């Protein structure tokens, strides 16, 4: 049996290129004691993976050259040498970018394929959902009545931030996205009060129109011009949760910082970055609260599905370009 897997063969400079990667054929691994063999069914591609392709020191170890990359995946157990996990169980794990994965059972979490579609455990009920929940409620300390602005709002994280804020009693929810189609989705399906296409004009001007009374919380997925605009509209005591800065991930030179940071003095504002890995203690609370909203159709989600391991790389490129609506998923 052949196991196809994606390797990083050179570190990208600027935008990643096809020749930085290789789809390699290898033998299907044999699980050892305490391990399981999983046939992956869905793989996740996410913006943070771009950072791991660099050798620069960060919060996660860089991908090793010449070796298979990692990422979220959900699949079916086809062989088990571990107690508590049986053949036929479905598990969530972090050994994606490949068709088969052998891993220690302690690194896998069983999921219920009958309770929700398997792909949702990579998105709305998985890491991206918890990212939205923790970033909004803990890092940004959202409270009822806050006006919330979300950049990258049609993405997997951003779309949930806006909807959770609405469920929690936000006075106004504003989102930015990169196409008129996505703007329409935010307002008509996700229930945002206002949204704008950042490609249609300066972000600061469009945000001022969408949030005439300012914003209390900004959930940042983009950085750059969006962050500066949000600081400019921040109300007194406003909070900014920095989840990602996709606008600068492929820059080869340091991006200029916001030019209006002094406004944080006037507003007594706060900017704080966060990683979802620091907030897994919220997972039970997150599932208990958000799960019923999803099941009842009260919290909506979209997935952009690309089929085939051979298209895993193109799906990743699509995330960097902003092609996806909601969570980008690769179906094997």
């Amino acid at each position: 049996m052949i196991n196809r897997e994606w390797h990083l063969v050179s570190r990208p400079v600027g935008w990643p290129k096809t020749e930085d990667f290789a789809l390699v054929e290898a033998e299907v691994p044999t699980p050892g004691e305490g391990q399981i063999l999983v046939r992956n069914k869905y793989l996740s591609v996410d913006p943070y993976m771009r950072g791991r392709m660099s050798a620069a020191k960060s919060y996660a170890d860089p991908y090793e050259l010449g070796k298979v990359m990692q990422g979220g995946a959900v699949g079916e157990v086809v062989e088990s040498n571990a107690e508590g996990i049986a053949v036929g169980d479905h598990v969530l794990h972090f050994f994606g970018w490949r068709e088969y994965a052998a891993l220690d059972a302690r690194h896998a979490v069983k999921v219920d394929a009958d309770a929700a579609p398997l792909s949702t455990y990579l998105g709305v009920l998985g890491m991206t959902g918890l990212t939205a929940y923790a970033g909004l409620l803990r890092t940004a300390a959202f409270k009822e009545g806050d006006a919330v602005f979300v950049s990258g709002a049609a993405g997997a994280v951003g779309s949930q931030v806006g909807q959770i804020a609405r469920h929690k009693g936000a006075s106004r929810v504003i989102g930015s996205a990169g196409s008129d189609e996505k703007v329409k989705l935010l307002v008509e399906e996700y229930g945002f009060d206002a949204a704008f296409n950042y490609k249609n004009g300066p972000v600061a001007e469009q945000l001022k129109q969408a949030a005439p009374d300012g914003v209390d919380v900004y959930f940042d997925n983009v950085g750059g011009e969006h962050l500066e605009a949000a600081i400019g509209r921040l109300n007194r005591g406003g909070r900014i949760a920095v989840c990602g800065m996709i606008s600068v991930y492929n820059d080869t030179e340091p991006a200029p910082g916001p030019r209006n940071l002094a406004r944080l003095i006037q507003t007594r504002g706060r900017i704080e970055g966060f990683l979802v890995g620091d907030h897994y203690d919220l997972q039970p609370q997150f599932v208990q609260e958000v799960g019923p909203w999803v099941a009842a159709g009260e919290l909506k989600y979209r997935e952009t599905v690309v089929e085939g391991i051979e298209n895993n790389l193109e799906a990743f490129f699509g995330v960097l370009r902003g092609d996806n609506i909601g969570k980008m998923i690769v179906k094997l």
Side-chain angles (χ1 to χ4, degrees):
M1 294 176 63
I2 297 299
N3 186 26
R4 290 182 294 173
E5 53 188 39
W6 280 98
H7 290 202
L8 182 68
V9 296
S10 61
R11 302 208 179 275
V13 177
W15 278 85
K17 302 179 292 295
T18 302
E19 51 265 35
D20 294 323
F21 309 84
L23 182 59
V24 176
E25 291 187 349
E27 291 185 2
V28 173
T30 300
E33 186 65 29
Q35 291 192 325
I36 56 176
L37 178 65
V38 181
R39 179 169 62 85
N40 288 330
K41 291 191 171 183
Y42 295 94
L43 307 177
S44 176
V45 287
D46 303 280
Y48 80 86
M49 293 174 174
R50 176 61 183 89
R52 296 196 66 185
M53 295 171 187
S54 167
K57 186 176 181 180
S58 185
Y59 61 86
D61 292 336
Y63 291 136
E64 295 185 58
L65 293 179
K67 293 188 177 181
V68 61
M69 295 183 289
Q70 295 178 332
V74 63
E76 181 180 357
V77 177
V78 294
E79 189 174 343
S80 177
N81 293 324
E83 293 184 6
I85 298 182
V87 171
D89 285 345
H90 293 91
V91 295
L92 174 68
H93 61 89
F94 206 67
F95 292 82
W97 288 84
R98 70 200 83 184
E99 292 176 306
Y100 289 85
L103 60 137
D104 291 346
R106 60 190 174 90
H107 295 314
V109 177
K110 286 200 291 186
V111 296
D112 187 350
D114 295 323
L118 284 176
S119 60
T120 62
Y121 294 105
L122 294 174
V124 66
L125 294 177
M127 184 177 72
T128 52
L130 181 60
T131 300
Y133 189 85
L136 177 68
L137 302 183
R138 178 174 281 174
T139 305
F142 171 86
K143 60 183 184 297
E144 186 177 355
D146 280 343
V148 177
F149 171 44
V150 189
S151 58
V157 173
S159 60
Q160 281 195 252
V161 172
Q163 292 183 81
I164 292 171
R166 182 170 54 80
H167 277 284
K168 290 283 192 178
S171 61
R172 188 167 178 80
V173 178
I174 305 110
S176 71
S179 72
D180 293 340
E181 177 191 8
K182 291 180 179 180
V183 167
K184 183 178 180 181
L185 174 71
L186 291 176
V187 175
E188 295 184 1
E189 185 167 333
Y190 293 156
F192 282 59
D193 296 290
F196 60 86
N197 182 347
Y198 66 84
K199 297 177 181 178
N200 288 346
V203 175
E205 293 180 9
Q206 295 194 79
L207 179 58
K208 185 177 181 179
Q209 293 179 358
D213 297 321
V215 298
D216 303 294
V217 168
Y218 170 49
F219 194 104
D220 190 16
N221 289 306
V222 175
E225 184 185 2
H226 278 79
L227 178 56
E228 183 169 294
I231 293 172
R233 297 303 300 161
L234 205 63
N235 290 330
R236 180 169 176 170
R239 291 87 64 204
I240 296 174
V242 181
C243 176
M245 292 192 174
I246 197 170
S247 70
V248 302
Y249 285 168
N250 295 303
D251 289 355
T252 56
E253 298 292 334
R259 297 166 296 179
N260 57 349
L261 283 174
R263 194 161 191 282
L264 295 177
I265 303 170
Q266 304 163 15
T267 62
R268 290 72 153 176
R270 172 172 62 83
I271 300 178
E272 183 177 345
F274 75 98
L275 296 173
V276 66
D278 296 331
H279 302 281
Y280 279 122
D281 61 297
L282 289 177
Q283 180 74 24
Q285 176 182 322
F286 160 67
V287 173
Q288 182 179 20
E289 185 166 19
V290 176
W293 295 344
V294 175
E298 296 172 359
L299 192 149
K300 302 181 184 301
Y301 67 94
R302 291 282 191 97
E303 294 175 341
T304 299
V305 180
V306 173
E307 297 207 9
I309 186 74
E310 65 276 9
N311 295 314
N312 208 102
L313 183 60
E314 183 55 33
F316 172 68
F317 289 166
V319 169
L320 297 182
R321 293 191 299 260
D323 295 348
N324 57 302
I325 295 178
K327 177 66 179 169
M328 180 71 87
I329 298 286
V330 178
K331 181 181 179 181
L332 304 188

